[in-house]
Amino acid sequence: MREALVSAGTIEYDVTGSGPPVVLLHGLLMDHTLWDRVLPLLPAGFTYVRPVLPLGAHRRPMRPDADLTLPGQVRLVAGFLDALGLDGVTLVHADWGGALFLTAHGLDRRVARQVILPCEAFDNFPPGLPGLPGRMVSLAVRVPGGLQLAARQLRVARLRRLPMLLGQMVRRPLPDALAHRWTEPLLRDPAVRRDLLAYCRGPFDKQTLIRDTEALRRFPGDALVLWSPDNRVMPPEHGPRLAALLPAGRYAEVPGAYVLSMLDEPEAVAREIGAFLTSTPAR
């Protein structure tokens, strides 16, 4: 893993290939390995960059005074692109929707194109119906030891298949090795728990979230919204709604997958992203 220094701390990242940069993001309690099944199937001729954001599965805690609220995390993504000097970026969103707000914050100058897989958008922060994953995290951060308890439950296969954990996030069983990898930093390091709490306890004003999502109508680059209509956590109607917002947006689907379509249907996800990368010129 390589390292990039941003104002909040040190961000680890993986990089492979050469050519125009494609930055693959991840969600809460996940890291860059979310993309392991898709990465080998993506086309050559691009540099694939996978940062590990401070969203609970990171191994390098941020500075104690770092702003890790949602706006702070948006600035962190922009700072990461700056630190690597990346231009003409294709930014790929998955599960966590915070980086959709780069345009609203005037921080998208390095982003030429976007691929949006099922992720938080509009007022769906945290995501899901009551009792589903985002709401469960919201409860866990309010109870002493709640994050550790949730992480331990994710390590038990029969429990993480429950709808309140990962049952509505991924259709295929999540391997034990991946569940253990994603939860190990949270269980081991109090500073990692501190970072995740700083994000989860930050303000999430619904009107602001909707306004910042709708700012995507100002993004001039090409965009692919690659939604999974069979998932229940990220509303099916949000996919077409996002595509309609983007001036150069188009919409495609991955049937049969849940939120983490790169785990459920890696071949279909790689095919759609690959076709977008090779057929659409950068801004």
Side-chain angles (χ1 to χ4, degrees):
M1 295 291 284
R2 302 187 187 186
E3 296 180 349
L5 183 63
V6 300
S7 61
T10 299
I11 300 295
E12 292 188 310
Y13 69 98
D14 174 79
V15 60
T16 185
S18 62
V22 179
V23 177
L24 301 154
L25 303 180
H26 61 80
L28 261 67
L29 290 178
M30 303 170 199
D31 67 7
H32 66 294
T33 58
L34 177 68
W35 292 100
D36 278 358
R37 296 180 185 176
V38 169
L39 190 62
L41 307 176
L42 292 174
F46 297 88
T47 299
Y48 296 101
V49 182
R50 298 184 294 165
V52 181
L53 303 177
L55 293 172
H58 56 297
R59 285 162 168 73
R60 292 292 299 270
M62 298 294 100
R63 292 172 41 184
D65 61 346
D67 179 6
L68 298 178
T69 62
L70 179 54
Q73 296 272 5
V74 175
R75 290 190 293 272
L76 184 147
V77 173
F80 175 76
L81 301 182
D82 288 342
L84 269 61
L86 300 178
D87 287 310
V89 171
T90 299
L91 191 61
V92 185
H93 310 262
D95 184 45
W96 181 63
L100 293 176
F101 299 158
L102 287 170
T103 299
H105 290 242
L107 297 172
D108 64 350
R109 66 184 182 88
R110 294 186 180 274
V111 181
R113 300 177 293 180
Q114 302 194 56
V115 179
I116 305 174
L117 279 72
C119 65
E120 299 161 316
F122 303 105
D123 60 347
N124 193 37
F125 284 79
L129 300 169
L132 291 178
R135 308 300 191 224
M136 196 64 180
V137 171
S138 296
L139 292 174
V141 301
R142 290 171 170 79
V143 178
L147 284 178
Q148 297 97 306
L149 175 61
R152 292 190 186 98
Q153 290 175 331
L154 287 172
R155 291 183 161 216
V156 181
R158 63 181 178 82
L159 293 181
R160 67 173 174 265
R161 292 293 296 162
L162 295 173
M164 69 182 64
L165 294 176
L166 295 183
Q168 294 295 332
M169 293 290 291
V170 59
R171 179 171 54 83
R172 299 183 181 184
L174 188 75
D176 284 341
L178 210 53
H180 281 247
R181 177 186 176 88
W182 290 352
T183 54
E184 189 270 335
L186 192 70
L187 290 170
R188 172 181 51 83
D189 194 336
V192 170
R193 295 195 293 272
R194 176 204 66 205
D195 290 348
L196 182 58
L197 286 170
Y199 173 75
C200 293
R201 289 176 174 171
F204 293 91
D205 176 71
K206 292 188 180 299
Q207 293 306 312
T208 301
L209 295 167
I210 294 170
R211 182 199 66 206
D212 286 355
T213 303
E214 291 181 344
L216 286 170
R217 68 178 74 252
R218 302 198 302 268
F219 181 75
D222 295 292
L224 169 66
V225 178
L226 185 58
W227 217 251
S228 303
D230 296 326
N231 94 87
R232 295 181 57 207
V233 179
M234 312 298 179
E237 63 271 18
H238 279 189
R241 186 176 169 189
L242 285 165
L245 271 177
L246 290 150
R250 58 187 177 90
Y251 178 74
E253 294 183 345
V254 181
Y258 289 174
V259 175
L260 303 181
S261 54
M262 69 292 292
L263 297 181
D264 284 336
E265 300 291 341
E267 294 85 2
V269 170
R271 183 173 61 250
E272 293 286 353
I273 294 178
F276 178 75
L277 291 175
T278 55
S279 66
T280 309
R283 184 174 58 188

